[in-house]
Amino acid sequence: MAQERDGKVEIRKDQLQALMGGELPDAIKKAREIHARGKKPQVVRVRRSFVRLEKFGGTVETERKPLPRAERPLSAQMITPKGLTLKLYLLMLFAAQCEAAVGKEWPQPYPIEPDAQKTDSWEGLVATVAKYAGPGVQASSVRTNKVRQIAQAMKALEEMGLLKSATGIKGQVRRGVLLLCENGKSKDTGAASIPYTVPADDESFLEIPIGFFTNGWVHVLTNSEIAALLMWFDVMKFDAMHVTPEGRAPMTVGYVLSNVRHGFYGLGRDTYETHKPLEAFQLLDVHRPSKRYDSGKWKDFEEDSSGMVCHRVVLRDGAFDREAGPVVEEVLKRRDATNEWRRSFGGFLQPQRW
């Protein structure tokens, strides 16, 4: 019996192929150029407060009623089906850390568009499928629409207290911007905004592998997948376990309970479920409890069962060293054809159990 196809996956596959045949190669080239001539960081540091609330945000009764958006961490507030806000801000942190030393500010972030004096720009570092067929006789050009998307993302970041106009006048982001600290507290300090500095060694920060940027993963993953990855990077650094399963090499393993996922990370079930595509892309290994079905339901359910434990997650070494486009494209082709998430090397993805 043929399985029903997922229209969203088909659309994503088509958009990825358009991106790979369009702006993605140039955006990757620009990221590698910026990295190679700069400080060459091997990871991008992100302050923990961008991803995780400092205080528990409250217990969520059901998955259908998550924390109000305004009460979530800033990264979770940026989860939208479309939009560049999360991706653009992470690219800004990447560029800042390529150009500024640890503990220092980045005095001259890029303009939106390049000019004769400044060839680096957000337009060049961002990859989009920017189509527009708006009202009127003439449709906007692809470039005009892309610049508009970047400006809209910057205005959203300005509202969150993550950047400000270089002129000091709100809304004038097209004239240049200055980065602000990723904890978002500049939103509450008025004119005394907190400038962004590269996190120092004694601060709490998670680490994004540099290949996430230089191999294009930031462009091809969805906002939900990126937000989930940020959670896993945080969990693996601050709350992981070091285990040695029988007959296997030692592993660093993380898990997250649903109340923590909601109350600290502000992430709902849909975002958590991205572990399936992230596993198929070979970014994560997911170890499932033996009594838990792939659907998430439990065999022989008991209210106080000690066997009810979460999926255990392992980040795969060197996962981001591969160029993202071909890996994700192959998986999406399989997913589109079979309605099953499979690893890119073929064959059905079998649940891993301990």
Side-chain angles (χ1 to χ4, degrees):
M1 180 178 175
Q3 298 197 45
E4 183 180 352
R5 300 179 72 182
D6 188 331
K8 291 182 180 180
V9 173
E10 186 173 6
I11 291 171
R12 181 179 179 182
K13 173 176 63 69
D14 292 343
Q15 290 179 335
L16 174 60
Q17 290 172 338
L19 199 65
M20 292 172 65
E23 296 187 352
L24 184 59
D26 288 339
I28 291 175
K29 181 180 178 181
K30 173 57 70 173
R32 291 174 177 175
E33 173 191 324
I34 290 169
H35 182 260
R37 71 160 187 261
K39 305 227 175 251
K40 300 181 178 64
Q42 295 307 299
V43 296
V44 170
R45 299 178 172 187
V46 181
R47 286 182 174 87
R48 198 179 190 196
S49 53
F50 179 68
V51 173
R52 193 181 194 275
L53 295 175
E54 295 178 2
K55 296 181 179 180
F56 187 68
T59 301
V60 173
E61 293 182 5
T62 71
E63 293 284 354
R64 296 181 180 180
K65 293 183 179 180
L67 285 179
R69 181 173 292 273
E71 297 178 15
R72 303 173 195 172
L74 290 170
S75 60
Q77 292 182 36
M78 298 179 189
I79 300 174
T80 57
K82 299 180 181 179
L84 295 175
T85 309
L86 178 56
K87 297 182 180 186
L88 177 62
Y89 191 65
L90 292 177
L91 284 165
M92 288 179 167
L93 300 186
F94 160 76
Q97 293 181 38
C98 286
E99 299 205 359
V102 170
K104 302 297 183 181
E105 296 181 31
W106 186 26
Q108 292 187 314
Y110 306 146
I112 292 181
E113 300 175 87
D115 57 34
Q117 287 75 39
K118 297 179 180 179
T119 57
D120 295 326
S121 69
W122 301 120
E123 182 188 0
L125 198 53
V126 169
T128 65
V129 180
K131 298 179 181 179
Y132 181 72
V137 177
Q138 286 187 323
S140 297
S141 70
V142 170
R143 181 175 183 183
T144 299
N145 189 43
K146 180 179 181 180
V147 170
R148 182 189 298 113
Q149 289 181 41
I150 294 172
Q152 289 174 342
M154 285 185 170
K155 289 179 181 179
L157 292 170
E158 185 180 37
E159 290 294 330
M160 292 180 174
L162 295 175
L163 57 78
K164 68 177 182 179
S165 168
T167 66
I169 301 174
K170 187 174 181 179
Q172 293 189 352
V173 293
R174 286 177 179 263
R175 299 189 181 185
V177 296
L178 297 175
L179 298 190
L180 302 179
C181 182
E182 65 263 55
N183 61 16
K185 292 183 178 179
S186 293
K187 185 177 181 180
D188 304 319
T189 58
S193 54
I194 306 168
Y196 173 79
T197 58
V198 179
D201 294 345
D202 60 353
E203 295 186 70
S204 293
F205 56 83
L206 56 118
E207 298 169 309
I208 304 177
I210 201 66
F212 178 81
F213 302 96
T214 57
N215 282 318
W217 291 95
V218 65
H219 305 295
V220 306
L221 296 179
T222 67
N223 288 324
S224 291
E225 288 164 356
I226 291 172
L229 269 178
L230 293 176
M231 177 188 71
W232 290 122
F233 289 144
D234 183 79
V235 168
M236 299 302 288
K237 180 167 184 179
F238 294 101
D239 298 306
M241 306 175 295
H242 303 285
V243 300
T244 306
E246 185 177 354
R248 300 176 66 179
M251 296 186 297
T252 301
V253 180
Y255 70 92
V256 61
L257 300 173
S258 62
N259 64 326
V260 172
R261 169 167 53 83
H262 277 293
F264 278 110
Y265 296 100
L267 300 181
R269 184 75 188 183
D270 289 347
T271 301
Y272 178 73
E273 287 296 319
T274 61
H275 69 263
K276 295 176 182 178
L278 293 175
E279 185 178 26
F281 302 150
Q282 299 182 71
L283 301 177
L284 308 175
D285 281 334
V286 181
H287 300 266
R288 296 163 174 82
S290 59
K291 291 187 177 182
R292 192 168 188 169
Y293 296 113
D294 294 341
S295 66
K297 296 181 179 180
W298 290 90
K299 180 180 179 181
D300 301 326
F301 173 80
E302 295 178 11
E303 189 67 34
D304 298 323
S305 174
S306 61
M308 293 180 63
V309 293
C310 299
H311 291 353
R312 310 296 190 182
V313 168
V314 177
L315 296 175
R316 291 177 64 89
D317 291 337
F320 297 95
D321 295 344
R322 305 162 298 153
E323 194 162 314
V327 174
V328 174
E329 180 188 28
E330 186 175 351
V331 172
L332 291 179
K333 285 180 178 178
R334 298 178 191 278
R335 177 69 169 81
D336 187 37
T338 68
N339 208 30
E340 297 282 345
W341 287 112
R342 299 184 183 186
R343 287 188 184 272
S344 58
F345 54 71
F348 280 102
L349 179 62
Q350 296 297 328
Q352 299 185 58
R353 306 189 187 279
W354 288 0

